Amino acid sequence: MKHRPPSASGPGTGGGAPGTGGASGPGVGDTSGPGTGGTSPSAGGTSGPGTGGTSPSAGGTSGPGTGGSSPGAKGAPGDPDARWLTLLMHAAFFLLLGASLTRFLLRHPGEARTPWIIALSVALAVLYVVGPVLGSRPTPRSLVWLGVLVAVWMVLVVLAPSFAWCAVPLFFTGLRILPPRAALALVALLTLFVVAAQLRLAEGFDPNLVLAPPAVAAVATAVFVHMQRQAERQRELSERQRELIDDLLRTRRELAATERREGTLAERQRLSMEIHDTLAQGLSSQQMLLQAADRTWDADPATARRHVRTATGIAERNLAEARRFVHDLAPADLAKGGGLEAALHALAARETAQGQGRLTVRCHVEGEGQTALPDRVQSALLRIAQGALANVKEHAHATEAALTLTHLDDRVVLDIADDGRGFTPAGSARTTGSVRGHGLPAIRARLRQLGGTLTIESAPGEGTVLSAAVPLTPAAAPPPVPEDLA
C-alpha cells in the first residue's frame, strides 16, 4: 500500500476511480468495462486506504499527535516529517473532495440537487478546516465536530455516491480522536457507506467492490493502531530516559559536592599534620629548651646559652616552614612570580578568555612603586580584583571592564570600572549576613585589615567604579563603621 500514494492514484485514479467506476454513467461504465469498474474502486480503495495506511503509519511513528495526518493534528513541532505528512493528508482530503464535486458537476449539470451538493461540499470543507482548532483530544467539542463532519459526509454520499472516497481521511480522524471501540465502529460505518456507494455506481454486483474496501480499511486500521501503540511505548521510554538522565545529573552534582567536601577535609588533615610535624614540634622543642635554659641560667650559664642558641635555630627553621605554608596558600597568580602587576594582567586575560566575547577586561598600571609591595597587600588587592570581577560578571551585565593599579607615594590604589547597569551605592552598604567569598562585604573586610578604604561611584544605568586604596605606611586600622558591622 505504501507504493500507491495519493498522488499516484490521485484524482485521476482515486478520485477518478470512483468517478470512473460509477458516476461516469453507463457510457463510461461501459467504456471502462467491468474490469475498470472493478479495478477502479479497488485502485481507489487501495489508494484511499493506502494513503491512509501510509499516513497513519507515519502518524504512529511520530505519535498520535501526528495521527494528526487528520484535521486537528498536533504534529510534533520539531518533526518536519510529521508536518509534511499532516499537510499531505489535508491536501488529499481537499483533492478528493474537489475531484468528487468537479465530477458531479460535469456528469450531472443543472440537476435540482446540484445547489445542495455544492452547499454540502462547502460545509464539509469548512468543517474539516475547523478541526485543527479544536485539537486532537476527545473533548465534547471535538466529538460534536466529528459527529457533524461525518453526518454531512453521509448526506453527501446519499445524494452523490462519488463522494464516498472522502471517507479515507475521516477514517484516521476517528481513529485519532475516539476511544478504540468507538473508532472501530466509526470505521466500520464509513466502510459500509463506501461499499454501498460503489455498488450504486456499478452496473452489476462485483465482489471486489464488497470485499476490497473493508479489507483495505482493516489493514489501515491495524497499522494505525499498531503504530499508535508503538508511539506510546516510545514516549514512555523517552520519559524514563529523561528521568534517568535527571537522576544521573543529580547524582553527579551530589558526587561533586561530596568530593569537594572530602577534598576540603583531606586538605585540612594534610595541613594539620604538616603543622603538627613542623611548627608544633618545633615550638614544643623551643619551650623545653627555654625552660631548661631558665633552670640552669645561674648554675651553668654556658649550658643555658647553648640551649638558647639551639632554640634560636629551631625558631629559624619554624619560620622558614611558616613562610613555606604562606607561599603555598597564597594566590596562584602571585605564586608564579612577577608580582601584583603580572598577576592582574593574567587575571584580566583569563577573565576575557572565559567571557568568550561577552566581557572584555583590560589592565593598566600607572607609576612604579619605590619598594615592593608587602605580600599581604599584593594578595589582598588581587583577591579584591577577583571579587569585583566576579560581581561584574554576576550582576553588572557589562561588556567591558578595566583594572587600573596606581602607585602613589604613600599608598597604592586599585580601580575596577565597568560599563554595566550600575546600582545605588547606598543600598549596597546595608548588606546583612556573613561575608561570602566574593562581594562588597569581603572587599571591605580585606581593606579594613590593611587600614585601607573603599570608594564606590555608581548610578543605575551608568556603570560602576570601585576604588580600593591601601596605605603603604603602617597605620592603625580604623574603627569599624556601622556598614562594616553589617
Side-chain angles (χ1 to χ4, degrees):
M1 290 189 293
K2 285 189 177 181
H3 300 290
R4 289 180 176 270
S7 57
S9 49
T13 310
T20 316
S24 53
V28 179
D30 292 330
T31 304
S32 57
T36 309
T39 306
S40 289
S42 171
T46 305
S47 93
T51 309
T54 305
S55 176
S57 71
T61 305
S62 55
T66 326
S69 298
S70 309
K74 293 181 181 178
D79 189 354
D81 292 337
R83 292 195 298 269
W84 182 82
L85 289 170
T86 300
L87 293 175
L88 180 62
M89 179 55 71
H90 294 337
F93 174 81
F94 288 107
L95 191 62
L96 290 172
L97 182 62
S100 300
L101 179 60
T102 302
R103 180 195 169 281
F104 177 84
L105 295 176
L106 292 176
R107 302 290 184 243
H108 307 280
E111 292 190 2
R113 56 179 173 167
T114 299
W116 289 100
I117 297 297
I118 296 175
L120 289 173
S121 299
V122 173
L124 187 64
V126 171
L127 284 171
Y128 193 89
V129 170
V130 171
V133 179
L134 302 178
S136 60
R137 296 182 178 274
T139 60
R141 294 172 58 189
S142 62
L143 294 178
V144 171
W145 166 81
L146 179 60
V148 175
L149 184 70
V150 172
V152 171
W153 173 81
M154 287 180 175
V155 175
L156 262 177
V157 172
V158 170
L159 295 177
S162 59
F163 284 87
W165 287 112
C166 292
V168 173
L170 301 183
F171 283 170
F172 306 110
T173 303
L175 289 170
R176 177 178 50 83
I177 293 180
L178 295 175
R181 291 186 180 180
L184 293 178
L186 177 63
V187 170
L189 178 62
L190 296 179
T191 305
L192 181 62
F193 263 72
V194 171
V195 172
Q198 294 304 307
L199 290 177
R200 285 179 57 190
L201 294 175
E203 294 182 351
F205 177 78
D206 189 342
N208 192 35
L209 298 179
V210 177
L211 300 178
V216 175
V219 171
T221 302
V223 170
F224 181 88
V225 172
H226 172 72
M227 298 308 294
Q228 237 183 358
R229 292 176 179 174
Q230 287 289 97
E232 183 64 28
R233 285 193 288 269
Q234 184 66 29
R235 282 197 301 274
E236 293 176 356
L237 178 61
S238 299
E239 184 64 28
R240 287 197 296 270
Q241 288 177 344
R242 282 194 294 270
E243 292 176 357
L244 290 175
I245 291 173
D246 292 340
D247 291 341
L248 176 60
L249 293 176
R250 183 169 56 254
T251 302
R252 289 181 61 182
R253 287 193 295 268
E254 293 174 354
L255 180 60
T258 302
E259 289 178 348
R260 284 194 296 271
R261 288 194 298 269
E262 291 178 352
T264 301
L265 294 175
E267 182 64 13
R268 289 178 178 176
Q269 184 177 6
R270 184 188 72 83
L271 288 175
S272 66
M273 291 188 298
E274 288 277 348
I275 293 173
H276 175 270
D277 294 339
T278 56
L279 299 182
Q281 293 288 357
L283 291 173
S284 177
S285 299
Q286 291 177 57
Q287 182 184 23
M288 290 188 295
L289 287 170
L290 292 175
Q291 289 174 348
D294 182 63
R295 287 193 301 269
T296 60
W297 191 266
D298 295 329
D300 190 355
T303 302
R305 284 192 293 272
R306 188 170 62 251
H307 288 329
V308 172
R309 286 194 295 271
T310 304
T312 302
I314 294 175
E316 291 176 355
R317 289 194 298 273
N318 277 4
L319 180 59
E321 289 290 344
R323 286 173 175 168
R324 182 178 67 83
F325 288 150
V326 171
H327 182 273
D328 290 343
L329 296 177
D333 291 331
L334 289 176
K336 296 177 182 178
L340 179 60
E341 292 81 0
L344 291 176
H345 280 289
L347 174 63
R350 184 168 61 251
E351 294 294 341
T352 299
Q354 293 176 355
Q356 299 180 350
R358 295 187 298 272
L359 177 64
T360 302
V361 182
R362 298 186 303 273
C363 181
H364 307 282
V365 178
E366 298 180 3
E368 293 182 1
Q370 298 179 355
T371 58
L373 295 175
D375 291 342
R376 62 194 302 259
V377 173
Q378 295 189 53
S379 177
L381 290 177
L382 180 59
R383 295 301 191 198
I384 288 171
Q386 291 172 337
L389 289 179
N391 278 350
V392 170
K393 292 189 296 183
E394 184 177 358
H395 303 294
H397 300 287
T399 58
E400 292 186 1
L403 301 176
T404 304
L405 181 67
T406 304
H407 293 279
L408 301 176
D409 294 337
D410 58 343
R411 65 186 184 278
V412 60
V413 180
L414 175 64
D415 296 322
I416 305 97
D418 66 79
D419 62 350
R421 60 185 184 183
F423 62 100
T424 303
S428 68
R430 295 187 293 270
T431 305
T432 59
S434 60
V435 175
R436 303 187 311 160
H438 299 293
L440 297 179
I443 293 175
R444 289 193 179 93
R446 293 184 187 279
L447 290 173
R448 186 170 59 247
Q449 293 173 357
L450 299 174
T453 58
L454 176 65
T455 304
I456 303 175
E457 297 178 7
S458 181
E462 296 183 6
T464 303
V465 177
L466 270 66
S467 181
V470 179
L472 299 180
T473 56
V481 294
E483 68 176 23
D484 291 327
L485 291 174

